[in-house]
Amino acid sequence: MTTIYDIAKKTGFSITTVSRALNNYSDVSEKTKKLILDAVEEMHYYPNSVARTLSTKKSWALGIIFVEDLGIGMKHPFFNSVIEGFKKSVEKKGYDLIFLNRNVGGVKMSYLDHAVHRGVDGIAVVSSNYDDSEVEKIIASTLPNVIIDLHSTKSNVVYSDNLHGCELAIEHLYSLGHRKIAHIAGHPKTFVGLERLKGFKSAMKNHGLDIHKPFIVDGGLFSAEGGYNAMLKLLQMKDRPTAVFAAGDNMAFGAMKAIREAGLKVPEDFSVIGFDDIELAGEYTPSLTTIKQDMDRIGEKAAEVLLQEIDHKFEPSTCIIPVELIKRESTKSI
Amino acid sequence: MTTIYDIAKKTGFSITTVSRALNNYSDVSEKTKKLILDAVEEMHYYPNSVARTLSTKKSWALGIIFVEDLGIGMKHPFFNSVIEGFKKSVEKKGYDLIFLNRNVGGVKMSYLDHAVHRGVDGIAVVSSNYDDSEVEKIIASTLPNVIIDLHSTKSNVVYSDNLHGCELAIEHLYSLGHRKIAHIAGHPKTFVGLERLKGFKSAMKNHGLDIHKPFIVDGGLFSAEGGYNAMLKLLQMKDRPTAVFAAGDNMAFGAMKAIREAGLKVPEDFSVIGFDDIELAGEYTPSLTTIKQDMDRIGEKAAEVLLQEIDHKFEPSTCIIPVELIKRESTKSI
DNA sequence: ATATTTGACGAAAGCGCTTTCGAGAATGTG
DNA sequence: CACATTCTCGAAAGCGCTTTCGTCAAATAT
């Protein structure tokens, strides 16, 4: 590995001058700068980021953690989309992404401790869970951070406009003539589960529809199975809904499967609308009408906010990313 | 941030002794060791990994890169599954994962240079492309590395048993009575595209079926669109195949869409079989018969091989991960 | 008793880089 | 011409840790 000393030796300047030339200091003449940069090129030298970090306290690395109970981690379609958007944005600014976990060399430590141990410049958290002590610790810390899909007044947060999304969904179903609308809710320990339930209720109210309690069924952790089981309950009722608004696409798929297995059809017998617009939504048969979350934008925005906190100083911000109704085949007028 | 000096000051020992106590050296008495560890606990001290890395040349970080032309990065279902498996395995051994890209602070550099710059202990590459100069550079380097979904005799490689997978697919279709079997091939610049094409031909031969050239159509970069377009060509033929083997699930979905739009049905008019078993495969209607790749296992195996190269020394290995036929609704007997 | 080994610890160098401080040369000012 | 400035550059300290080498006292051997 070639070091700054090698460049110094080769050019005859001191390592101080080499360092200055590399970092564009003004007090090094154009001539020697060129000499040095040529040598750098020739010897294929790249500064060692570890050494640089040690002396500057700036690692140009960002930590990312995700908290979810399914154990699918990066396979989670929402997470990986958001992270991809985040990653692309921060890379443009010269940051690397590092996954933080909770054990270092066999020793369990908190995410925050791990982040400090690694010397990252900031942390992005994608969390589905409501009160997570790990996340709270990060929020309370002085390390710049941004939280995705969770609300807090004490930190930077970024999430979709869940309430408006629900409004769009109910509005759409209402305009198709549906009045008996069920909601397959996300788990109450998740922020978006709660938000969308709230949004559902408020949207129903706004349309002058009253909320039939049994029509609100728990769909669990946003999985297809959860949606399937929830739909089974709805199918057992004598007075069934005509439309189902699921708090997540996967739950909508599960619901449609239950409907199909009951010998009924979507959208003829039930209109179904989801939330997320995961890739599968457009491919499924029938394709799924849903509320599209702009995951790329969420990731980008999170990057923007985090880098801003790192560069300048801190003031908690809340970014609500717009959502959009995507009309497809799974909903029709009554 | 508390440092080793703080612990030294508090306990009255030298930093040398503190360091030794932390690293379980034998030449520190049990008594002082306990004193030091207590102070560590109390002061909530964690060694700074940057400083440690600088002096030990071991970063406990692994770089990961993926090379693909679709620009979807982490959203790629194969990539993220493999990476999740890889991540879980290496984390257990105390390694962190860091995404490598090609620019550092505005300066374009190669993946390999970036890895060296960051001081990672090894690199995992997930590459769909055949000859990538970046990947070749990594293979040729002395930095421990493992390549997923690509073959090379000069490095550690891990990939699915594509050939046997094709054998299973054709065997299945054959056993259902199909004789006119088409293949929607993956892009010839991808390793798996070529492998599966080869596997298709060889399997056909093994079953005494001759290969009708026009029945081999290019499906592009494994996308649904590619499969859709390929299927259109197949549908235009006067003498159509009765079964279609797509080199990837997404292409199979595209093909099924084309079939549906042509007013035909799967599996009544065409049997369709895919390759991958992505999550969607089981959810789709009709659910897709496919060859299941064990992405978790691929990730785990890659981790195993890479860590072994890091710890011990190097001998190029090729790991072929078994695949499995998953029978679902999209295939039926003729 | 003296000589030798062992056990427990500290001083100091070094990892590769940045940055402060200051010095000498070149330039400008009166 | 003497002086103050401005340009260029180098010496050295420091970032937080590991590790080599050595020291000194206690334990053991002779």
Side-chain angles (χ1 to χ4, degrees), chain B residues 62-63 112 120-124 138 141-146 155-156 305-314:
Chain B
L62 263 25
L112 178 60
V120 299
D121 298 332
I123 308 184
I138 290 170
S141 78
T142 58
L143 201 59
N145 62 79
V146 60
S155 187
N156 296 303
V305 171
L306 181 58
L307 296 188
Q308 194 157 343
E309 178 176 351
I310 291 175
D311 288 344
H312 315 308
K313 263 322 8 115
F314 179 54

Side-chain angles (χ1 to χ4, degrees), chain A residues 1 44 46-54 57 59-61 66 68 71-77 80-81 83-84 87-88 91-101 103-110 113-114 116-119 224 250 253-254 257 260 279-280 282-286 296 329, chain B residues 1 44 46-54 57 59-61 66 68 71-77 80-81 83-84 87-88 91-110 113-114 116-119 224 250 253-254 257 260 279-280 282-285 296 329:
Chain A
M1 188 187 176
H44 202 74
Y46 286 105
N48 177 321
S49 86
V50 176
R52 183 186 291 223
T53 299
L54 184 61
K57 307 274 146 236
S59 64
W60 291 98
F66 31 76
E68 48 94 32
I72 56 175
M74 227 164 312
K75 288 186 267 188
H76 194 301
N80 63 41
S81 297
I83 292 173
E84 179 66 24
K87 174 169 175 281
K88 282 204 180 115
E91 281 178 353
K92 249 180 256 165
K93 303 286 186 175
Y95 287 89
D96 284 334
L97 221 55
I98 174 164
F99 280 102
L100 263 26
N101 51 261
N103 54 300
V104 171
V107 184
K108 275 262 176 278
M109 50 166 70
S110 72
D113 288 334
H114 191 155
V116 173
H117 161 85
R118 269 286 174 205
N250 276 324
F253 292 132
K257 186 176 178 194
R260 198 185 326 127
E279 202 196 337
L280 179 44
E283 303 293 332
Y284 207 84
T285 309
D296 284 338
E329 302 164 355
Chain B
M1 189 189 176
H44 203 74
Y46 285 105
N48 176 321
S49 85
V50 176
R52 181 184 292 216
T53 299
L54 185 60
K57 307 273 146 235
S59 64
W60 290 97
F66 29 77
E68 48 94 32
I72 57 176
M74 228 164 309
K75 288 185 265 186
H76 194 301
N80 63 40
S81 297
I83 292 175
E84 179 66 24
K87 174 171 174 282
K88 281 201 179 116
E91 281 177 353
K92 247 179 256 163
K93 303 286 186 176
Y95 287 89
D96 284 335
L97 220 56
I98 174 163
F99 281 103
L100 262 24
N101 51 261
R102 296 199 50 197
N103 53 298
V104 170
V107 184
K108 274 263 177 276
M109 50 165 73
S110 73
D113 289 333
H114 191 156
V116 173
H117 161 85
R118 269 285 174 205
N250 275 325
F253 292 133
K257 186 175 178 193
R260 198 185 326 127
E279 202 195 336
L280 178 44
E283 303 292 334
Y284 207 85
T285 309
D296 285 337
E329 303 165 352

Side-chain angles (χ1 to χ4, degrees), chain A residues 32-69:
Chain A
T32 81
K33 184 168 174 181
K34 177 159 178 11
L35 248 40
I36 290 174
L37 292 186
D38 284 351
V40 163
E41 179 91 6
E42 187 186 334
M43 300 188 74
H44 202 74
Y45 165 80
Y46 286 105
N48 177 321
S49 86
V50 176
R52 183 186 291 223
T53 299
L54 184 61
S55 79
T56 60
K57 307 274 146 236
K58 167 107 184 171
S59 64
W60 291 98
L62 264 24
I64 189 152
I65 74 175
F66 31 76
V67 181
E68 48 94 32
D69 289 330

Side-chain angles (χ1 to χ4, degrees), chain A residues 212-250:
Chain A
H212 183 45
K213 273 275 173 60
F215 279 2
I216 298 180
V217 286
D218 183 28
L221 289 169
F222 294 87
S223 66
E225 289 84 345
Y228 179 84
N229 292 329
M231 191 68 214
L232 287 185
K233 285 189 200 136
L234 292 172
L235 286 166
Q236 282 165 359
M237 300 179 179
K238 52 257 130 258
D239 185 32
R240 288 169 175 168
T242 63
V244 177
F245 169 38
D249 282 354
N250 276 324

Side-chain angles (χ1 to χ4, degrees), chain A residues 145-272:
Chain A
N145 62 79
V146 60
I147 317 290
I148 294 163
D149 237 19
L150 202 62
H151 183 68
S152 165
T153 54
K154 300 195 282 300
S155 185
N156 297 303
V157 294
V158 179
Y159 50 82
S160 285
D161 194 344
N162 292 296
L163 299 182
H164 186 238
C166 296
E167 187 65 36
L168 289 176
I170 300 305
E171 158 79 27
H172 174 61
L173 293 175
Y174 188 91
S175 74
L176 292 174
H178 294 280
R179 297 296 179 269
K180 297 199 290 183
I181 303 175
H183 181 54
I184 300 184
H187 199 286
K189 89 191 244 191
T190 64
F191 170 70
V192 296
L194 286 176
E195 281 285 287
R196 291 171 196 172
L197 175 57
K198 190 160 65 166
F200 167 74
K201 288 179 178 169
S202 130
M204 290 291 278
K205 208 165 290 173
N206 290 347
H207 285 82
L209 303 175
D210 49 44
I211 296 149
H212 183 45
K213 273 275 173 60
F215 279 2
I216 298 180
V217 286
D218 183 28
L221 289 169
F222 294 87
S223 66
E225 289 84 345
Y228 179 84
N229 292 329
M231 191 68 214
L232 287 185
K233 285 189 200 136
L234 292 172
L235 286 166
Q236 282 165 359
M237 300 179 179
K238 52 257 130 258
D239 185 32
R240 288 169 175 168
T242 63
V244 177
F245 169 38
D249 282 354
N250 276 324
M251 296 195 296
F253 292 132
M256 292 201 280
K257 186 176 178 194
I259 293 169
R260 198 185 326 127
E261 290 185 4
L264 298 170
K265 302 196 77 173
V266 175
E268 289 75 4
D269 300 304
F270 289 99
S271 277
V272 175

